[in-house]
Structure formats: C-alpha cells, structure tokens
C-alpha cells in the first residue's frame, strides 16, 4: 500500500454487493472501491454482472444485499435524481425532441440555475467534447460518434463526483472507437474526475484504465493496473480472457519465493507464480502467443495446424499433444502447415496462474 | 429510369384510382348536389349558394354542428386521460400477456354498435344493473331516472366505444419510447412530474394526435349512440342530415350541412396541427427539425 493511501477515505465504497433476479444470482458479493481522479473499468463477458454494478451505483437497480457509500455517506436511500453521479448510457438516450444544447442543459435547468450560467456551462461542455458548433442540431441529425459526445457533455456539465459509462463505445465502428478512447481518457485527465467504465473489450480497458476490475459470473476475479492484469493474471480465467494466453494445466509440485514448478503434459515447468498458487493445487502455465518463439531446441514440440496472416505478423497454431498453442510469428514467411516445429520460451517471463480452465486436462 | 417510372405508375396508379372512386367521388357528388335545390320531389340542377345560406343562418344547424365538434373534442380529451395510464401499462409493464390484453381491448369493437348500446341500456336503465345494485346496497331508495337518456349517459357510452382507438394510438407511441430516456432524465435530476411533462407528453404526442383525430372523427360521425342512449338530448347533426336525406327528401340541404361539417372538422384539425407544430412538442411529433 502506498503511503497515505490507507488514511484517505475512498470516493466510492461498495461492500458485499449482491443482486438476485429470481433464481439468477447476477452479482455475488462484490467489494468495490474507487478513488477520485482515477479511470477504472469493469471488464468481463456479457452477463458477468458488470452493468448491474454500474446500475446499482447509478440508482437504476435495487441492491439485494450490501451497502454503497459515496464520500463516506450512504448512497442507497438516495433516488437516482439526487445522486451526485451521472451516467452515459449505452444507447446514449439523448432526448429526441430537444436540440443538442437543450439536451446538455437539461440537468442544469432542473436545478434552476441562472440562464447565463446555464448557457456558459453548456457552451463549455460542448467545447470540451468538440461539439460547440452543433448546439442547434437534433440528435437524429448527428452521427453515432457525435451523439456519444453529446451524451458525455450532458453528463459532465453537471459536475458529478463520479461519471458512470455503460459500454459507451460499443455502438461505434472500430476507427471511431479508437478515436473516442483517446478523447475519453483525455477528457478524464482534464476534468480530474473519477470515471467508472463498463466494457467487454479488453483492448478498450487497456487503452483507458488506471485500474481494471475483471469480473466473471458475478464475482471479481482480479483487480489491478493493466500491466499487472496482462502480465500477472491471478488465475486461469483472467489469463484466458485477457490476452488470449495459451494455458497448460498441471499440478504444482513445488512453490517457494514467488516461483512454482508445475508438472504438465510437457514435463515440469518452472516460472514465477501468482499468490494463491500452492503445492498440490492445480495451476496453469500461461504462455502468451508473443512469448513463444519457433526455433530449434525448444522444450515444446508439435505440428503446424494453421497459419493466419494478421498484417504485422502471422498467427501460427501448433498442435502439441492434446493442446493447441497459438504462436505469434514475426517472420515474413510462416512455417509450412503440417511441418514439425519446436517452441521455446523464456521461463522468467512465463507465469503460473492459479487453477485450470474447465475441460483442461 | 424508365422501368422505375413504369413500376411507379403500375403501383401508384391503381391506388390513386381506388382513392378517387371510393373516397373522393362520393364527396364530389355531395358537393355538386349541395348547390342544387329541391322542387317538390325532384332535384333541380339550378346552382346557387341558397342551401349554405340556410345552414349558416339557421341557429339550430349551427348549434348542432358546434355540438358535434364539442362532443368530438370532449370525448377525445376524456379518452386521452383514461388511455394514457392504460397504454403506458400495456407497453411498459406487461410482457407475457401483452397480445391477450390488446385483443381484449378490441373485443368490444367486434360486437357491433347495437349490441354494445343495448348492453349499456341494460346497465344504465331504470331497472338496470346499476340502479338495482345501488338500491340493493341502500345507497338510494328509488332508481335514478337520469342515468339513461341523458348527455352524461351518451358521454359514458361514447367514451367506452372509442377508448380502444385512443389506447392503440398511445400504445404505439409508448412502445417506441426507449426506457433509458426515463433513466437518463432521472439521472439528470428529474422527478416523476418532470419526466411526465418534459418527456412522456412530448414524445407520445404523435400517438395522442393520431388517437385524438380518430376519436374526434368517429364521435362526430356517430349518431346511433346519442339517439339510442341520449334520449331527448340525442339529436345530432348527423341525424339531422339523415332525416334530410330520408324522410324530408332534401338531399341538397343535407349535402350542404354535410359539407359545412366537413369543412369545420378539417378546420379544427388544421388548427390543432398548426398550434401543436409551433410548440417544441409538436415539432417532435411531426418530425420537423
């Protein structure tokens, strides 16, 4: 823990959050803590409970069990209209009968602020999202990216303590999504505002986040900065979901000083390991495609099954025993399909994560 | 391009012909006849504005036309107030039995005017269901005579008859409303009243206008309900026209009244559209930017 961090109360603190819809247990005991000035993403596949958590904080979903506090004060008894948080909805939810400026002014007008102050703040917010020339347009006259910007302006103009973003970029095409990612991050830095962003796209999470919370089946699997999540996944689920690691399951036979030895189908493998890995437990050796090198004298051998051209490099799938290993090959010519290859990796850069995926031997 | 034009002519042509023959031609005949006059038992093609002068100078015809328009507007307003919560409920709170509810809403329309009207006479009559019930509970000693054959009775039955049209119009509007709009408004600090006034009303205005136009036109044209339920108050402009076409055999005067009514109705509708079009709601409703 960094000095001073312990003493400071978090901006938002959720404890023991549960959500049940009838028989479905969507969120199962989540603790979440956000500090001011940080960009945090909730990352996970659809149905993992990430949007439910966002909607609980926004006030659009009741909480089956647990508490949420904002600035140290309980939040759950406050209706959404009085919570000092604002949301950017996935569908943008712009009011179709109001023009851009009136959409952005909606929240300020409800607070009965003086007209000139409303006009000034609306202009400021629109300028911040580079939509200052569009104030008189109707939402349906705007492109998806422009609607997204208006939705952002409409939320930040109220100067919330926390901005919630529910898959805000999912409706945009790839190029626009990349541009908006940069703008979102830039906006968050300039405003010095806490952003909580829900996404299923790991690239998006990496591009934006100071911290990523990986979720699965209603629980948090791991929380950390993007590099930690990518390089040191705590368990097999995170390793598989992030970065598409090759996972070689096995049994831990030795574990000391942050390193473990795993007995696998390819023989023993020794590498740094995640906390929680212990002798006798099942664990997975994580080898990301870019860590494997095709060459002679490697410890893994197999047959080339497919090669896929990816622009910058080739993705080569190698059948090794019962496993299929994906390898990034930077050469101009990929190895011939059907040929035997040998794979090697630097054990110091490999990683052993706790547990194994269901179905892995 | 030529192929496209042929296709257009082939598809639009028949529609246009059907529209002219079925809708406009009868109205045209009425318009022509309205300028003629009657000589004992024959219609004399001697064009003049005599019939229109008679309609406009007659206090009772003016009263009947005004009464018809007022009645149409009143029933449209009452059905709108009742239909709003019903349409909202069906569109936004019901999932499984939605189709069943909508069908149930339309069932009264399948039974025919007369059956419905006599059902209401059984309910509202002197020895009807309502009076019997009130006497049984001890709320009243003698049956209320004015339940049936009164303007109130006519209003009740007209509302019952035309409520489904208003509900359908509003239901369609509610169905197309994104629920996230309500959440977004709440997120920005709006309470229930604000959401109702600043989102729901403007965004369902197209459905309200569609429903109101249907109810308005149907109520103005309904003369059986007032006649069989309204008693002495049941004289309508339509029944007057029917009398002129039937017993009195004065088709020209009947046609002139019919055309005056039509022009008055179009005037009301146009006024509503113009006034609404100037409000922010209206421009959302009619799609102008």
């Amino acid at each position: 823990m960094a000095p001073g961090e312990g003493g400071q109360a978090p901006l938002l603190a959720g404890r023991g959050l549960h959500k049940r819809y009838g028989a479905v247990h969507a969120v199962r005991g989540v603790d979440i803590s956000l500090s001011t000035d940080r960009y945090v993403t909730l990352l996970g596949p659809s149905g993992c409970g990430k949007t439910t958590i966002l909607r609980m904080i926004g006030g659009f979903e009741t909480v089956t069990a647990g508490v949420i506090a904002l600035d140290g004060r309980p939040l759950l008894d406050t209706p959404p209209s009085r919570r000092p948080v604002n949301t950017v909805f996935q569908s943008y939810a712009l009011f179709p009968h109001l023009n851009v400026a009136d959409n952005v002014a909606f929240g300020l007008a409800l607070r009965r602020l003086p007209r000139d102050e409303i006009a000034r703040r609306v202009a400021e917010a629109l300028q911040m999202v580079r939509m200052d020339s569009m104030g008189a347009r109707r939402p349906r006259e705007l492109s998806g990216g422009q609607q997204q910007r208006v939705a952002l302006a409409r939320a930040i103009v109220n100067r919330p303590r926390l901005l919630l973003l529910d898959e805000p970029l999912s409706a945009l095409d790839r190029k626009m999504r990349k541009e908006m990612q940069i703008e979102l991050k830039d906006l968050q830095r300039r405003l010095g505002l806490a952003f909580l962003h829900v996404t299923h796209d790991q690239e998006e999470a990496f591009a934006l986040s100071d911290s990523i919370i990986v979720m699965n089946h209603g629980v948090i699997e791991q929380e950390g900065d993007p590099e930690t999540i990518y390089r040191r996944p705590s368990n097999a689920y995170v390793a598989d979901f992030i970065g598409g690691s090759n996972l070689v399951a096995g049994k831990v036979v030795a574990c000391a000083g942050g390193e473990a030895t795993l007995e696998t189908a390819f023989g023993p493998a020794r590498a740094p390991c995640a906390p929680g890995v212990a002798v006798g437990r099942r664990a997975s050796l994580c080898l990301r495609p870019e860590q494997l090198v095709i060459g002679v004298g490697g410890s893994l051998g197999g047959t080339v099954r497919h090669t896929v051209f990816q622009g910058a490099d080739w993705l080569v799938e190698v059948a090794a025993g019962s496993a299929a290993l994906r390898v990034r090959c930077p050469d101009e010519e990929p190895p011939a399909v059907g040929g035997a290859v040998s794979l090697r990796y630097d054990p110091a850069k490999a990683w052993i994560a706790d547990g194994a995926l269901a179905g892995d031997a | 391009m030529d192929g496209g034009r042929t296709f257009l002519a082939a598809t639009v042509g028949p529609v246009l012909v059907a529209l002219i023959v079925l809708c406009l031609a009868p109205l045209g005949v009425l318009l022509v006849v309205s300028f003629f006059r009657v000589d004992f038992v024959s219609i004399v093609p001697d064009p003049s504005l005599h019939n229109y002068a008679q309609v406009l100078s007659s206090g009772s015809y003016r009263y009947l036309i005004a009464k018809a328009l007022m009645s149409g507007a009143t029933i449209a307003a009452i059905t709108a107030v009742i239909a709003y919560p019903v349409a909202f409920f069906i569109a936004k709170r019901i999932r499984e039995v939605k189709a069943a509810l909508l069908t149930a809403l339309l069932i009264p329309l399948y039974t025919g005017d007369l059956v419905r009207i006599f059902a209401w006479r059984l309910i509202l009559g002197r020895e009807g269901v309502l009076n019997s019930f009130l006497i049984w509970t001890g709320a009243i000693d003698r049956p209320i005579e004015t339940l049936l054959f009164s303007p109130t009775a006519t209003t009740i039955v007209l509302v019952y008859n035309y409520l489904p049209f208003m509900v359908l119009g509003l239901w369609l509007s509610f169905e197309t409303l994104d629920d996230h709009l309500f959440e977004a408004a709440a997120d920005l600090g709006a309470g229930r009243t604000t959401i109702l006034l600043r989102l729901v009303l403007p965004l369902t205005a197209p459905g309200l206008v569609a429903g109101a136009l249907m109810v308005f036109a149907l109520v103005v044209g309904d003369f059986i309900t007032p006649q069989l339920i309204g008693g002495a108050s049941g004289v309508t402009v339509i029944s007057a026209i029917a009398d002129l076409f039937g017993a009195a055999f004065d088709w020209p005067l009947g046609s002139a009244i019919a055309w005056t009514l039509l022009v008055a109705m179009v005037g009301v509708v146009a006024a509503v559209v113009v006034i609404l079009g100037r409000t922010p709601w209206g421009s959302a409703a009619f799609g102008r930017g």
Side-chain angles (χ1 to χ4, degrees):
Chain A
M1 192 173 283
E5 205 177 305
Q8 207 177 351
L11 170 68
L12 180 123
R15 291 281 169 269
L17 294 173
H18 284 266
K19 180 68 189 182
R20 281 196 181 84
Y21 301 98
V24 181
H25 201 164
V27 175
R28 320 166 174 231
V30 163
D31 292 337
I32 184 171
S33 174
L34 304 175
S35 53
T36 48
D37 198 16
R38 299 259 291 170
Y39 204 124
V40 177
T41 49
L42 276 167
L43 175 65
S46 63
C48 72
K50 58 193 192 299
T51 296
T52 306
I53 290 176
L54 194 84
R55 289 174 58 81
M56 285 171 170
I57 298 170
F60 307 114
E61 208 76 72
T62 56
V63 172
T64 308
V67 290
I68 302 177
L70 187 82
D71 287 321
R73 285 186 297 273
L75 188 68
L76 291 177
D77 292 332
T78 313
S81 57
R82 293 207 210 98
R83 296 189 184 193
V85 297
N86 284 112
T87 308
V88 175
F89 292 87
Q90 186 173 12
S91 60
Y92 314 142
L94 297 178
F95 306 128
H97 59 307
L98 301 179
N99 67 24
V100 165
D102 288 341
N103 261 282
V104 177
F106 195 90
L108 300 180
L110 288 177
R111 283 197 258 155
R112 302 222 161 77
L113 295 181
R115 267 168 192 279
D116 52 337
E117 192 190 340
I118 292 179
R120 188 174 49 75
R121 280 171 67 173
V122 166
E124 213 176 80
L126 283 176
Q127 194 171 13
M128 218 170 253
V129 297
R130 300 195 287 118
M131 288 289 289
D132 35 333
S133 61
M134 303 277 192
R137 299 267 188 104
R138 286 293 166 94
R140 67 167 163 273
E141 297 166 329
L142 304 177
S143 70
Q146 291 171 329
Q147 292 187 30
Q148 174 65 76
R149 286 160 209 256
V150 177
L152 265 171
R154 185 178 67 175
I156 59 171
V157 78
N158 302 293
R159 298 179 185 155
R161 295 285 292 145
L162 168 67
L163 188 71
L164 305 172
L165 303 105
D166 184 9
E167 305 246 7
L169 307 180
S170 61
L172 303 177
D173 62 53
R174 191 181 155 84
K175 185 166 175 289
M176 180 61 74
R177 201 155 59 220
K178 296 275 172 207
E179 284 174 28
M180 282 305 295
Q181 283 172 8
I182 294 167
E183 284 194 35
L184 271 177
K185 182 71 192 167
D186 184 50
L187 190 66
Q188 187 264 337
R189 272 204 206 101
R190 274 190 291 156
L191 290 169
L193 175 66
F195 278 37
L196 181 61
H197 178 128
V198 159
T199 181
H200 62 269
D201 180 346
Q202 53 138 322
E203 262 184 67
E204 190 170 304
F206 284 152
L208 292 168
S209 313
D210 297 316
S211 177
I212 297 177
I213 299 172
V214 183
M215 286 195 66
N216 186 34
H217 293 310
V219 296
I220 292 177
E221 296 281 359
Q222 191 175 0
E223 182 174 354
D225 63 83
E227 281 188 51
T228 304
I229 298 277
Y230 188 75
R231 299 218 169 97
R232 296 186 288 281
S234 62
N235 58 46
Y237 171 79
V238 177
D240 181 56
F241 186 70
I242 306 285
S245 276
N246 297 296
L247 298 183
V248 180
K251 196 169 182 182
V252 182
V253 290
C255 180
E259 284 205 347
T261 306
L262 197 61
E263 192 58 53
T264 74
F266 303 103
R270 187 175 159 79
C273 70
V277 172
V279 174
R281 283 178 69 89
R282 290 184 61 71
S284 298
L285 177 67
C286 308
L287 301 164
R288 288 193 311 278
E290 69 270 23
Q291 288 178 311
L292 286 166
V293 181
I294 296 173
V296 283
S299 54
L300 302 166
T303 320
V304 176
R305 203 190 272 163
H306 297 295
T307 57
V308 179
F309 183 56
Q310 297 204 308
D313 50 24
W314 291 83
L315 190 69
V316 178
E317 193 178 301
V318 176
S322 64
L325 301 174
R326 291 177 303 279
V327 183
R328 281 255 177 98
C329 170
D331 302 340
E332 286 200 7
E333 285 292 321
V337 172
V341 289
S342 166
L343 303 171
R344 69 194 147 73
Y345 63 92
D346 179 355
K349 287 184 181 167
W351 181 255
I352 291 172
D354 193 27
L357 289 182
D360 262 8
Chain B
M1 269 292 131
D2 267 6
R5 209 169 292 166
T6 317
F7 177 74
L8 200 69
T11 48
V12 173
V15 175
L16 219 56
V17 170
L19 209 68
I20 290 169
V21 171
L22 296 175
C23 296
L24 298 179
L27 281 177
V29 171
L30 271 188
L31 184 63
V32 171
V33 170
S34 71
F35 294 109
F36 296 167
R37 66 184 171 82
V38 170
D39 183 10
F40 190 45
V41 288
S42 61
I43 294 169
V44 183
D46 170 19
S48 75
L49 290 171
H50 171 80
N51 293 317
Y52 287 96
Q54 195 181 338
V55 174
L56 296 177
S57 64
S58 152
S60 53
Y61 288 142
R62 284 208 310 263
Y63 166 74
L64 285 179
I65 289 174
K67 183 177 142 186
L69 298 179
M70 272 306 292
S71 170
T74 310
I75 305 298
I78 296 173
T79 52
V81 170
I82 301 173
Y84 254 105
V86 176
F88 170 79
F89 189 76
I90 296 176
K92 297 295 181 195
R93 290 287 175 270
I94 298 287
R95 289 230 160 73
E96 287 84 7
V97 291
K98 193 178 270 187
L101 265 180
L102 286 168
T103 311
L105 188 76
L106 295 175
I107 280 176
L109 298 179
Y110 300 147
T111 55
D113 289 340
L114 285 177
V115 177
R116 262 176 292 152
I117 287 169
F118 280 100
W120 275 103
R121 286 173 72 141
L122 286 177
I123 295 171
L124 298 175
R126 194 173 180 282
E127 269 116 48
V129 177
L130 197 56
N131 267 326
S132 308
F133 176 73
L134 290 176
I135 291 172
W136 178 75
T137 59
I140 52 173
D141 297 331
R142 286 177 299 132
I144 306 171
E145 303 281 350
T146 53
L147 269 183
L148 192 57
F149 304 130
S150 67
T152 313
T154 310
T155 303
I156 292 172
V157 178
L158 285 175
V159 166
Y160 173 82
N161 274 356
Y162 300 113
L163 183 63
F165 295 95
M166 184 61 91
V167 173
L168 283 182
L170 287 173
W171 168 69
L172 281 173
S173 273
F174 272 114
E175 279 292 334
T176 60
L177 267 192
D178 178 2
D179 288 353
H180 286 116
L181 292 178
F182 303 131
E183 291 184 350
D187 188 66
L188 295 167
R192 283 163 180 269
T193 318
T194 310
I195 291 176
L196 181 71
L197 293 179
R198 297 200 47 186
L199 283 186
V200 175
L201 286 184
L203 291 174
T204 53
L208 177 65
V209 171
L213 289 183
M214 281 192 284
V215 172
F216 178 72
L218 289 166
V219 168
V220 171
D222 185 344
F223 70 103
I224 300 177
T225 307
Q227 199 169 327
L228 295 180
I229 298 285
S233 68
V235 181
T236 59
V237 66
I238 304 287
S239 67
I241 295 171
D243 286 345
L244 286 168
F245 271 83
F249 193 68
D250 193 343
W251 289 23
L253 183 58
S255 303
I257 300 174
W259 261 92
T260 311
L261 178 64
L262 187 64
V263 169
M265 284 174 74
V266 169
V268 169
V269 171
V272 168
V273 170
V274 167
I275 292 168
L276 272 181
R278 290 190 178 180
T279 64
W281 302 8
S283 39
F286 305 114
R288 268 186 273 121

